[in-house]
């Protein structure tokens, strides 16, 4: 009976995940729907939310947009968009592109990321290990933090080989589609894994991306047994990634150490034989350093 119930639970997760992955909805529409689902407090400031909706329109591929473009992408009326864009331009977060009707972000938005990185004790603790691995192995090493159902690049030390992969600090990927995400999820409770899976848009990033909920959950369980995750071509073609979870001083899996190598020079077998020990040692050492992400 227990087995049957578990199968039903998995089917429910799969159905909900597929329902949420509707390709007809824009990112802004999905964001608005998510906000609408939240219980509104009298303390919630709607205009602030709209200002961030405007800023988030630049998350996509377009670097510059007109007022009409911004209004459409943010799912706001033109009047509200005009006022918000004017305010953000006056504050220095948006700029008018000379000789055009387009607007773009300014470097002032980087203040937020700079302040976060400077205050993040985990990055301070992890950076020496990542730098040492990168120098010794000559390969790219990353630190990924879990944020909701995504992992975020918060530290990155490129290898000595010139292979361009368009990931910079702040880049995001679905946790379930990455070695780091799978590693972190493997150290989280089952109900958290299920919840994050339901919140994930199961749209493949490569022809090899696994999107079947049952297979994704099984990968997490395998990683929990092994203590690490290895993924090939899941989020980027030609990439093999190995990762191990970092546990904070409260016993929570919050991040992962990751080594990324190309399939042109590495095989899965070689990566598993040579790299797993490095991510294990680094992740364990960082976890033992007892960092506190929210120290006063």
């Amino acid at each position: 009976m227990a087995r049957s119930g578990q199968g039903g639970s998995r089917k429910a997760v799969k159905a909900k995940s597929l329902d949420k992955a509707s390709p007809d909805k824009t990112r802004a529409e999905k964001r608005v729907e998510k906000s609408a689902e939240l219980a509104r407090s009298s303390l919630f400031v709607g205009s602030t939310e709209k200002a961030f909706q405007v800023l988030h329109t630049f998350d996509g591929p377009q670097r510059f947009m007109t007022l009409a473009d911004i209004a459409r992408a943010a799912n706001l009326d033109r009047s509200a968009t005009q006022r918000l864009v004017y305010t953000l331009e006056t504050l220095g977060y948006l700029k008018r592109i000379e000789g055009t009707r387009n607007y773009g972000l300014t470097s002032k938005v980087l203040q937020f990321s700079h302040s976060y990185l400077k205050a993040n004790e985990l990055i301070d603790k992890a950076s020496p290990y990542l730098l040492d691995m990168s120098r010794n192995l000559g390969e790219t090493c990353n630190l990924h933090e879990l944020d909701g159902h995504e992992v975020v690049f918060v530290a990155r030390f490129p290898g000595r080989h010139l292979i361009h992969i368009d990931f910079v600090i702040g880049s995001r990927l679905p946790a379930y589609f990455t070695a780091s995400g799978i590693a972190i999820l493997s150290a989280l409770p089952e109900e958290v894994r299920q919840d994050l899976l339901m919140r994930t848009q199961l749209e493949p990033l490569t022809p090899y991306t696994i999107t079947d909920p049952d297979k994704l959950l099984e990968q997490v369980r395998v990683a929990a047994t092994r203590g690490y995750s290895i993924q090939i071509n899941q989020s980027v073609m030609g990439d093999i990634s190995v990762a191990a979870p970092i546990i904070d001083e409260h016993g929570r899996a919050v991040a992962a150490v990751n080594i990324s190598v190309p399939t042109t020079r590495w095989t899965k077998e070689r990566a598993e034989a040579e790299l797993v020990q490095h991510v294990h040692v680094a992740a364990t050492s960082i976890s033992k350093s007892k960092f506190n992400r929210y120290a006063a």
Side-chain angles (χ1 to χ4, degrees):
M1 290 296 290
R3 187 168 185 174
S4 175
Q6 185 180 33
S9 175
R10 289 181 179 177
K11 290 178 181 178
V13 169
K14 185 171 183 178
K16 291 180 182 178
S17 300
L18 293 174
D19 180 62
K20 289 188 69 178
S22 172
D24 299 327
K25 297 179 182 177
T26 66
R27 186 178 300 178
E29 287 172 336
K30 291 172 185 174
R31 190 178 295 115
V32 169
E33 284 184 359
K34 183 178 179 181
S35 296
E37 292 173 0
L38 301 175
R40 296 301 182 141
S41 165
S42 60
L43 297 175
F44 190 89
V45 182
S47 57
T48 302
E49 179 188 34
K50 291 177 181 178
F52 279 102
Q53 283 176 230
V54 168
L55 291 173
H56 276 299
T57 61
F58 293 92
D59 289 350
Q62 288 186 273
R63 302 166 93 182
F64 308 113
M65 290 187 284
T66 65
L67 276 174
D69 293 333
I70 295 171
R72 184 165 48 252
N75 201 29
L76 298 170
D77 63 66
R78 187 178 179 85
S79 176
T81 302
Q82 187 173 29
R83 294 195 300 273
L84 290 163
V85 168
Y86 175 81
T87 301
L88 290 168
E89 182 183 11
T90 302
L91 293 174
Y93 295 103
L94 291 180
K95 63 181 178 182
R96 179 78 174 265
I97 308 304
E98 188 175 354
T100 74
R101 295 185 299 160
N102 291 328
Y103 292 86
L105 297 174
T106 73
S107 59
K108 192 172 183 179
V109 298
L110 293 175
Q111 287 183 337
F112 297 112
S113 57
H114 172 71
S115 298
Y116 177 78
L117 296 174
K118 185 173 65 173
N120 191 313
E121 190 180 0
L122 170 59
I123 297 174
D124 288 339
K125 299 287 187 183
S127 290
Y129 296 96
L130 295 172
L131 179 60
D132 184 60
M133 286 195 304
S134 179
R135 285 176 174 173
N136 290 335
L137 297 170
E139 304 294 351
T140 298
C141 298
N142 304 295
L143 177 66
H144 294 137
E145 277 193 336
L146 183 68
D147 183 19
H149 65 284
E150 297 175 316
V151 290
V152 185
F153 287 74
V154 294
R156 183 169 173 81
F157 292 84
R160 58 175 171 260
H161 303 281
L162 296 177
I163 295 179
H164 176 68
I165 297 180
D166 190 22
F167 288 127
V168 296
I169 301 302
S171 296
R172 291 171 171 268
L173 289 168
Y176 269 98
F177 295 167
T178 66
S180 288
I182 293 292
I184 297 169
L185 290 163
S186 72
L188 294 176
E190 180 68 20
E191 60 268 22
V192 176
R193 301 173 188 174
Q194 296 275 357
D195 176 64
L196 296 182
L197 179 58
M198 287 192 290
R199 292 163 58 186
T200 300
Q201 302 297 319
L202 297 180
E203 298 169 0
L205 301 180
T206 77
Y208 298 95
T209 303
I210 296 173
T211 58
D212 181 85
D214 289 335
K215 292 181 180 178
L216 291 172
L217 289 170
E218 181 58 27
Q219 284 198 117
V220 174
R221 296 184 182 109
V222 170
T225 301
R226 294 178 174 177
Y228 69 91
S229 174
I230 183 167
Q231 300 292 322
I232 305 176
N233 297 323
Q234 285 299 297
S235 54
V236 179
M237 285 297 296
D239 177 73
I240 302 174
S241 287
V242 181
I246 295 173
I247 312 299
D248 72 6
E249 63 179 20
H250 304 291
R252 297 176 301 218
V254 295
V257 172
N258 166 281
I259 300 176
S260 176
V261 295
T263 55
T264 53
R265 289 187 290 103
W266 290 75
T267 63
K268 178 182 178 182
E269 291 73 23
R270 181 190 168 198
E272 207 155 14
E274 298 182 23
L275 301 181
V276 168
Q277 58 183 328
H278 290 282
V279 295
H280 257 313
V281 170
T284 301
S285 299
I286 297 166
S287 298
K288 287 182 177 179
S289 64
K290 297 300 179 185
F291 64 93
N292 187 345
R293 293 182 300 159
Y294 307 112

